[in-house]
Amino acid sequence: MKNFEMLMPTTMKDAVESLPEERTNPLSAQATRILAGGQDLLPEMKDHLAEPDVVVNLKGVDELSGSVRNPGSEASILGTGRIHIGALTSIAALASNAEIREEYGVLSKSAESIATPQIRTQATIGGNLCQRPRCWYYRNEDTVCLKRGGDECFSYAGLNKYNAILGGGPSYIVHPSDLATALLAIGATVVTTQRALDLSEFFTLPSESDPTRENVLEPNEVIETVLLDSSLGASNGWKSTYIKFMERESFDFAISAVALMLKFDGDKISEARLCLGGVAPIPWRCESTEKLLVGRTIDDKLCEEAGEDALRGAEPLEFNEYKIPLTKSLIAKALKELA
C-alpha cells in the first residue's frame, strides 16, 4: 500500500473542501479518496487499484451520524415524515433496526445478506452504494481493463461467468450492491452535499456515460442521507422480500437477486415494484414486468410470464447464460413468497 495522508474533518464543510473539484485521469493515481467504512477502499488500496495521496475519513462528521431516524413534522422539504438514514449508518444497524424491519422487509433482508457480521458492523450504507465492481479483470492490478481506463472489457470475450446479461456494453460489470437493488425498489432518494437524486438517477450505465464510473457523483460531492418513501412501506399495505442467489451459501456477492414489492386488492396485485441485482451494471428496474403483474392473481402461469418478461432483453455472454433461468426462478420464488 502506498503511503498517504489521512484527514479527519469534523464538519461536512471541511470534508468537502478537502476534495478536488475536478476528476482525475482514471489511469493516474487518485489524488484524494473518501473513507467511510473502508470495506471496499482499503482492499483496493492494498491491491494497488487505488493509490490516493490523501484519504478523507468521514467518521468524525456528526452530520453523517449513523442513526436511522424519522424527523416527522419537523423534517425539511426533503421529506416530511420520511425515514432518513445517515450515510454512515452501518449495514448491521440497518439490518437490526425495528422500524426498517417492520416497514421495509426488502431492505432489512438485503442488509442481512451482505458479507459477514464483522463486515456489516463496519460497512456503511453510503459506502455500499458507491462500492466498485467485483469483476476479476478490474480487480487484477496487472490488468488495465476498460473500467480502469483501458481500451477493452476483457470479460466480453474472456471469463464472464459473473458478468452482466442486461444493460451490458461496452463494460459488462455488474453492480455489487445488495442495498442498491432493495433501495431502488423502495423508491429511495439520495441526498448529497449538492442535490437530492432519485436512486434511479444516481447510477449510470457504461453506455450512457464514462465507463470508468458507476454513479453520477462529482469529485467533491458526498452522500449525506438516504430517504425512504413512507408511502411504500408495510403500513400502507405493501409486502416485500429480497431473494439472493450466491455461489457460496453465505457471505458472498449476488450472482442474481430479486427485490420485489407488491400491494394487493384481495388476491389480485394492485401495484408492483420489481428490481434485479447481480445481472446488470446498475440495479435493474423491470417496469414492464410491474405493469404485467397488476390486476393478476399469483399462480404458476403468472410466475412464468413475469420471468419471461423481465429477462426478455437479456444478452448473455459465453459463460453466463445460466443467469437467465436462475433469475426467472428467483422471480417466481419471490412472487410465491408474497402470495
Side-chain angles (χ1 to χ4, degrees):
M1 184 186 292
K2 185 182 108 176
N3 290 336
F4 59 90
E5 179 186 3
M6 176 81 82
L7 301 182
M8 303 288 291
T10 56
T11 68
M12 205 64 242
K13 180 176 180 293
D14 289 342
V16 171
E17 289 179 351
S18 304
L19 300 173
E21 293 185 2
E22 297 183 0
R23 298 190 186 282
T24 55
N25 187 316
L27 289 173
S28 67
Q30 294 272 346
T32 306
R33 291 290 294 271
I34 295 171
L35 178 69
Q39 301 308 295
D40 191 38
L41 177 60
L42 294 181
E44 280 205 315
M45 292 171 66
K46 291 176 182 178
D47 292 337
H48 302 284
L49 302 179
E51 295 188 313
D53 297 317
V54 178
V55 173
V56 181
N57 191 336
L58 299 178
K59 288 293 187 181
V61 181
D62 290 338
E63 297 154 77
L64 303 177
S65 60
S67 60
V68 180
R69 55 201 181 279
N70 189 336
S73 60
E74 297 180 359
S76 72
I77 59 171
L78 292 176
T80 300
R82 299 167 100 181
I83 295 178
H84 291 214
I85 308 172
L88 290 185
T89 302
S90 72
I91 306 302
L94 193 65
S96 63
N97 182 270
E99 185 176 14
I100 295 295
R101 186 178 297 275
E102 181 177 344
E103 283 293 302
Y104 307 101
V106 63
L107 183 55
S108 63
K109 286 183 178 181
S110 71
E112 288 171 350
S113 78
I114 294 171
T116 65
Q118 294 89 341
I119 288 176
R120 289 196 292 270
T121 63
Q122 298 298 314
T124 65
I125 184 172
N128 189 270
L129 292 177
C130 294
Q131 65 183 303
R132 305 307 308 278
R134 307 305 303 183
C135 176
W136 47 33
Y137 293 107
Y138 169 77
R139 293 280 167 171
N140 183 344
E141 64 177 286
D142 297 320
T143 304
V144 184
C145 67
L146 184 66
K147 176 56 69 174
R148 291 176 56 198
D151 298 323
E152 181 181 354
C153 177
F154 297 114
S155 67
Y156 179 73
L159 298 175
N160 44 49
K161 177 181 178 181
Y162 305 111
N163 292 83
I165 59 173
L166 291 164
S171 170
Y172 290 84
I173 62 105
V174 297
H175 200 281
S177 173
D178 289 288
L179 292 185
T181 306
L183 287 167
L184 182 61
I186 294 171
T189 299
V190 174
V191 181
T192 76
T193 48
Q194 297 183 19
R195 50 188 165 166
L197 288 165
D198 187 276
L199 197 63
S200 63
E201 303 171 326
F202 180 74
F203 299 103
T204 178
L205 283 168
S207 59
E208 295 176 342
S209 182
D210 181 349
T212 65
R213 301 175 59 189
E214 294 84 51
N215 59 61
V216 299
L217 285 177
E218 296 297 330
N220 60 346
E221 188 174 15
V222 181
I223 295 177
E224 291 185 312
T225 308
V226 175
L227 307 181
L228 305 186
D229 189 341
S230 57
S231 68
L232 293 172
S235 59
N236 281 298
W238 286 89
K239 298 171 69 176
S240 65
T241 191
Y242 185 80
I243 298 179
K244 172 181 176 180
F245 182 85
M246 301 172 286
E247 192 166 49
R248 295 178 293 180
E249 289 187 6
S250 60
F251 311 148
D252 205 355
F253 292 91
I255 300 293
S256 178
V258 172
L260 178 65
M261 300 183 64
L262 298 177
K263 198 171 184 179
F264 289 88
D265 182 4
D267 63 350
K268 291 186 177 181
I269 299 169
S270 58
E271 295 182 64
R273 295 179 69 90
L274 173 64
C275 298
L276 305 179
V279 295
I282 60 174
W284 194 260
R285 178 97 180 263
C286 303
E287 295 187 65
S288 67
T289 312
E290 294 169 356
K291 294 175 182 176
L292 182 150
L293 292 171
V294 172
R296 304 284 295 277
T297 301
I298 297 175
D299 54 21
D300 289 339
K301 184 183 181 207
L302 180 61
C303 290
E304 182 179 352
E305 289 179 19
E308 288 290 336
D309 187 80
L311 279 298
R312 193 177 306 283
E315 296 181 348
L317 303 174
E318 183 176 1
F319 300 111
N320 65 5
E321 190 171 2
Y322 73 94
K323 284 194 176 189
I324 295 177
L326 171 62
T327 307
K328 289 178 180 179
S329 70
L330 294 183
I331 292 171
K333 184 175 181 180
L335 284 166
K336 290 177 180 179
E337 179 181 322
L338 298 185

